[in-house]
Amino acid sequence: MKQSKLLSLFEVMGGTALGFIVSLAIQYGVCRYYGLPLSTSQNAGIIGVFTVASVIRGYFWRRICEALHVRRPLSPFMHAALAERFRQIDAEGWSFDHDDQHSDGELAQAAACYMLHAGTESKTTPHEWPWSSAWWKSAGYRRDLVRGVALAIAEGERLDRLRHKRERRGWDRALS
């Protein structure tokens, strides 16, 4: 996804603020080690100059990378599918914990129903639909495809979390 100019600036400022604190501590230690007579305000001033330079460099480098399309841009459909996935989490409250309670393939089955029945004129719930008919909300060809992809992402995320838990349990047993 493309990052806005404001988010680029926020990211650079946050990283640089952390860098400022770390640099201040390192420079203070180095000055003390070599016996350089710098006061804390002089030390902070030197770091301040380098921090401003770092913010400017980081911001312009990020904008250059955006202009050169260093990242692969997402299509409007992909943006819509990701936005739907985040909407399911934020607006509907379907958290990762909630998704993890579904049986294997249940979210994928729902995703397939939306994709297979995308844009059909039928108002009936597909017989493959894994949940109550009240949850079937067909809303047109593109919208149904977007919902199907978002549900498939939810299933893939659930599967990755489950696989990660299994790998950790296997590792924990190997250490015992």
Side-chain angles (χ1 to χ4, degrees), residues 105-106 108-114 116-117 120 122-138:
E106 195 173 37
Q109 188 175 353
C113 284
Y114 271 118
L116 286 170
H117 297 278
T120 60
S122 175
K123 298 296 181 193
T124 61
T125 303
H127 75 275
E128 305 92 355
W129 182 247
W131 305 309
S132 161
S133 294
W135 289 103
W136 175 252
K137 300 173 185 172
S138 181

Side-chain angles (χ1 to χ4, degrees), residues 45-169:
I46 292 169
I47 297 297
V49 169
F50 286 112
T51 298
V52 170
S54 182
V55 168
I56 293 168
R57 177 207 45 85
Y59 177 78
F60 282 106
W61 182 249
R62 172 61 64 132
R63 298 316 309 160
I64 288 167
C65 289
E66 288 289 340
L68 295 174
H69 301 290
V70 172
R71 295 185 214 158
R72 180 172 284 181
L74 300 180
S75 69
F77 181 84
M78 291 173 74
H79 279 282
L82 292 173
E84 172 61 16
R85 176 66 184 129
F86 290 126
R87 189 199 68 76
Q88 291 169 351
I89 295 166
D90 298 336
E92 301 288 341
W94 304 134
S95 67
F96 293 153
D97 290 336
H98 175 270
D99 289 349
D100 291 348
Q101 294 173 8
H102 288 288
S103 62
D104 285 343
E106 195 173 37
L107 291 167
Q109 188 175 353
C113 284
Y114 271 118
M115 290 203 250
L116 286 170
H117 297 278
T120 60
E121 300 296 321
S122 175
K123 298 296 181 193
T124 61
T125 303
H127 75 275
E128 305 92 355
W129 182 247
W131 305 309
S132 161
S133 294
W135 289 103
W136 175 252
K137 300 173 185 172
S138 181
Y141 187 66
R142 186 175 189 277
R143 181 74 181 122
D144 288 352
L145 289 175
V146 165
R147 282 184 178 157
V149 170
L151 283 164
I153 291 170
E155 176 68 9
E157 291 172 336
R158 188 191 71 77
L159 182 63
D160 283 351
R161 284 189 301 277
L162 181 63
R163 186 177 64 207
H164 181 71
K165 286 178 187 175
R166 287 179 182 161
E167 288 170 358
R168 281 191 19 230
R169 277 192 295 237

Side-chain angles (χ1 to χ4, degrees), residues 19-21 23-25 27 42-52:
F20 177 85
I21 294 166
S23 296
L24 186 62
Q27 185 169 315
Q42 289 172 322
N43 193 5
I46 292 169
I47 297 297
V49 169
F50 286 112
T51 298
V52 170

